[in-house]
């Protein structure tokens, strides 16, 4: 699995004077799954502004959060030894995208399976990176230990801009501006092979999805022929449902708050320790959290059983996918309240005269629609 530091190292190459990308190959696809045109353009003869924008667009395919937007794809030993999907990726890399048949094969795989209503571009680049050695204090020793050769694929929507009114400052006049096609940031993409421990790893690829709710499993299945990971947003919903369904009557505000705080502390500690490996939670790790928060053995057993069904026995989850470290959300069918986790102690749940309430301690600085309000101190205090 690639670490943030390694991803950042590759991202820094996406400038005109930093990479060894000689050209960009690609094709334009309409919403009827038809390849309208293909192209192969040399970066060196492009206007500098154009090439920089193109590199910046492809760089987005390496952006986002590991486990949410950047997903580790692992090939089995059998796939690496003898499989159509891995042979294709290796041929694309080894030929440096010069094998037309392999390039067209990848185009067809994406075009025939990618689900979208938009026109889009498939962009392909091959880069060769002379990997420098670093000393213990991360100073560049400038000698190359290996050449890391990889391909990057970006699938970018092409949207029709609206016509409108333009102003030509040089001529001090107005004119009508027609509609045009604009290339948007990539929706999906991938890098192969991985740059693990700053070295080539043909057993892994790095898959990118812009959306945390839709990772386009059809592309993962077709291009990599591997198990499709659960989208980050779905992981959060699944975890929340598991807590509610298995912890049952113990699943009160204080318990959920405690679970949130425990996982947040793990994230903070991992960050403070400057751990390079991404933090992940196994079923065993989550079990320890539930135990520390006071869940009963029977409820924890029920959670473990359903965890296997929903996530998979050996599946690990990214903690940032199941909690929001910046807020605790309290939601009713008609009202939503967001609370800073550091201030969550100011919230409590009460039942008064048979009616359920969410109570928030309010001191100074209370506003309604931006207007400071006062409390009527003549109102009778409500006792529990």
């Amino acid at each position: 699995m690639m670490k943030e530091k390694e991803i950042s190292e590759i991202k820094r190459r996406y400038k005109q004077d930093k990479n060894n990308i000689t050209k960009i190959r690609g094709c334009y696809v309409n919403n009827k799954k038809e390849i309208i045109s293909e192209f192969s353009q040399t970066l060196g003869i492009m206007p500098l502004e154009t090439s920089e924008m193109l590199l910046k667009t492809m760089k987005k395919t390496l952006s986002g959060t590991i486990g949410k937007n950047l997903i580790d794809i692992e090939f089995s030993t059998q796939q690496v030894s003898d499989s159509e999907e891995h042979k294709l990726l290796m041929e694309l890399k080894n030929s440096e995208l010069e094998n037309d048949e392999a390039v067209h094969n990848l185009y067809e795989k994406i075009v025939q399976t990618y689900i979208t209503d938009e026109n889009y571009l498939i962009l392909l680049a091959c880069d060769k990176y002379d990997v420098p050695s670093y000393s213990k204090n991360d100073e560049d020793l400038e000698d190359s230990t290996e050449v890391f050769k990889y391909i990057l694929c970006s699938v970018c929507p092409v949207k029709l801009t609206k016509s409108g009114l333009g102003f030509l400052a040089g001529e001090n006049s107005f004119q009508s501006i027609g509609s045009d096609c604009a290339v948007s940031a990539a929706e999906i993409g991938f890098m192969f092979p991985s740059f693990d421990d700053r070295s080539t790893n043909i057993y892994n690829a790095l898959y990118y999805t812009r959306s945390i709710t839709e990772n386009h499993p059809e592309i993962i299945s077709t291009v990599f022929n591997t198990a499709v990971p659960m989208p980050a947003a779905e992981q959060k919903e699944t975890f929340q449902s598991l807590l509610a369904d298995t912890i049952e009557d113990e699943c009160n505000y204080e318990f959920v708050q405690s679970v949130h705080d425990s996982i947040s502390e793990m994230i903070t500690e991992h960050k403070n320790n400057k751990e390079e490996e991404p933090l992940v939670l196994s079923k065993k790790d989550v079990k320890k959290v539930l135990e520390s928060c006071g869940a009963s053995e029977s409820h924890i057993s029920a959670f473990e059983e359903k965890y296997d069904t929903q996530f998979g026995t050996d599946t690990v989850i990214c903690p940032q996918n199941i909690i929001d470290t910046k807020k605790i959300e309290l939601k009713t069918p008609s009202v939503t309240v967001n609370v800073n986790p550091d201030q969550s102690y100011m919230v409590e749940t009460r039942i008064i005269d048979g009616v359920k309430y969410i109570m928030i301690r309010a001191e100074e600085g209370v506003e309604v629609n931006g207007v400071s309000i006062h409390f009527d101190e003549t109102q009778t205090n409500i006792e529990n």
Side-chain angles (χ1 to χ4, degrees):
M1 178 183 294
M2 288 181 66
K3 309 176 186 70
E4 288 186 14
K5 193 173 182 179
E6 295 162 346
I7 294 171
S8 296
E9 186 172 350
I10 298 299
K11 284 176 66 177
R12 287 194 294 270
R13 297 185 55 74
Y14 282 78
K15 292 185 178 180
Q16 187 66 37
D17 59 343
K18 296 290 186 181
N19 64 79
N20 287 313
I21 299 173
T22 57
K23 62 184 178 181
I24 304 292
R25 294 195 67 163
C27 65
Y28 179 62
V29 186
N30 66 18
N31 57 10
K32 297 179 182 178
K33 293 184 176 294
E34 298 170 334
I35 297 178
I36 302 302
S37 64
E38 296 186 32
F39 54 87
S40 178
Q41 297 191 9
T42 304
L43 279 180
I45 63 175
M46 288 183 187
L48 180 60
E49 183 179 2
T50 302
S51 62
E52 288 283 5
M53 290 179 67
L54 186 53
L55 289 171
K56 185 178 180 180
T57 297
M58 297 200 72
K59 177 182 176 180
K60 291 290 186 181
T61 314
L62 298 170
S63 302
T65 304
I66 295 176
K68 280 190 176 183
N69 310 99
L70 297 171
I71 301 169
D72 183 59
I73 300 293
E74 185 174 358
F75 294 101
S76 67
T77 302
Q78 188 280 326
Q79 282 181 294
V80 175
S81 174
D82 182 24
S83 72
E84 176 188 333
E85 59 276 1
H86 198 272
K87 284 181 179 178
L88 174 60
L89 295 173
M90 287 296 292
E91 179 57 31
L92 291 167
K93 177 186 80 76
N94 293 338
S95 69
E96 300 178 18
L97 301 177
E98 294 293 341
N99 185 324
D100 291 342
E101 182 180 354
V103 169
H104 292 151
N105 192 347
L106 179 64
Y107 289 164
E108 289 299 326
K109 282 178 175 287
I110 295 173
V111 171
Q112 294 305 316
T113 56
Y114 183 43
I115 299 174
T116 181
D117 295 326
E118 299 179 308
N119 298 347
Y120 61 91
L121 288 175
I122 300 175
L123 302 176
L124 292 172
C126 180
D127 184 26
K128 291 180 289 185
Y129 177 30
D130 292 321
V131 184
S133 295
Y134 287 92
S135 61
K136 292 182 179 180
N137 58 1
D138 285 342
E139 290 184 359
D140 189 347
L141 299 181
E142 297 184 351
D143 60 322
S144 176
T145 56
E146 73 166 290
V147 176
F148 173 59
K149 182 162 63 175
Y150 68 96
I151 59 170
L152 188 69
C153 174
S154 304
V155 179
C156 306
V158 176
K159 300 181 180 180
L160 191 66
T161 61
K162 294 181 179 179
S163 58
L165 180 66
F167 180 72
L168 300 180
E171 300 178 12
N172 207 30
S173 64
F174 294 94
Q175 76 170 29
S176 175
I177 298 176
S179 60
D180 206 347
C181 292
V183 179
S184 301
E187 282 293 325
I188 58 170
F190 68 88
M191 170 183 170
F192 175 84
S194 284
F195 187 52
D196 292 344
D197 294 325
R198 305 187 67 246
S199 186
T200 302
N201 179 9
I202 63 172
Y203 283 81
N204 289 72
L206 186 68
Y207 180 77
Y208 168 80
T209 173
R210 186 180 182 186
S211 170
I212 64 171
T213 60
E214 174 56 79
N215 61 13
H216 287 276
E218 71 278 6
I219 293 296
I220 298 175
S221 178
T222 301
V223 175
F224 306 111
N225 192 23
T226 60
V228 178
M230 186 183 292
E234 187 177 342
Q235 287 184 31
K236 186 175 184 178
E237 292 175 2
T238 301
F239 182 77
Q240 292 168 339
S241 296
L242 280 179
L243 282 184
D245 293 344
T246 60
I247 306 303
E248 297 178 338
D249 57 306
E250 292 178 345
C251 195
N252 54 28
Y253 172 75
E254 289 75 16
F255 178 81
V256 175
Q257 177 194 25
S258 181
V259 170
H260 181 280
D261 291 347
S262 296
I263 297 177
S264 291
E265 288 174 7
M266 296 170 69
I267 295 172
T268 300
E269 182 179 357
H270 183 270
K271 183 178 181 180
N272 291 340
N273 291 338
K274 297 182 179 180
E275 300 283 352
E276 291 191 358
E277 292 290 341
L279 177 64
V280 293
L281 300 179
S282 65
K283 181 176 68 173
K284 185 177 180 181
D285 295 325
V286 180
K287 178 182 177 181
K288 289 180 179 179
V289 169
L290 298 182
E291 288 174 339
S292 68
C293 294
S296 64
E297 289 187 13
S298 60
H299 288 158
I300 291 175
S301 296
F303 180 90
E304 288 184 287
E305 183 178 342
K306 288 202 172 184
Y307 183 101
D308 291 345
T309 303
Q310 296 295 324
F311 287 111
T313 306
D314 300 320
T315 301
V316 294
I317 51 181
C318 178
Q320 290 90 341
N321 289 359
I322 58 175
I323 69 163
D324 187 335
T325 58
K326 296 181 180 179
K327 68 178 182 181
I328 291 179
E329 183 182 82
L330 296 95
K331 189 174 184 179
T332 73
S334 56
V335 177
T336 298
V337 179
N338 292 322
V339 181
N340 185 319
D342 292 337
Q343 307 298 321
S344 59
Y345 66 90
M346 300 178 70
V347 179
E348 62 178 301
T349 55
R350 299 273 290 276
I351 298 178
I352 302 173
D353 295 332
V355 181
K356 299 175 183 177
Y357 289 90
I358 297 173
M359 304 186 70
I360 303 173
R361 192 172 78 197
E363 297 174 351
E364 297 181 358
V366 179
E367 296 181 353
V368 176
N369 291 338
V371 179
S372 296
I373 64 168
H374 296 276
F375 287 83
D376 186 353
E377 296 182 4
T378 64
Q379 288 183 335
T380 305
N381 290 333
I382 300 176
E383 298 293 339
N384 189 6

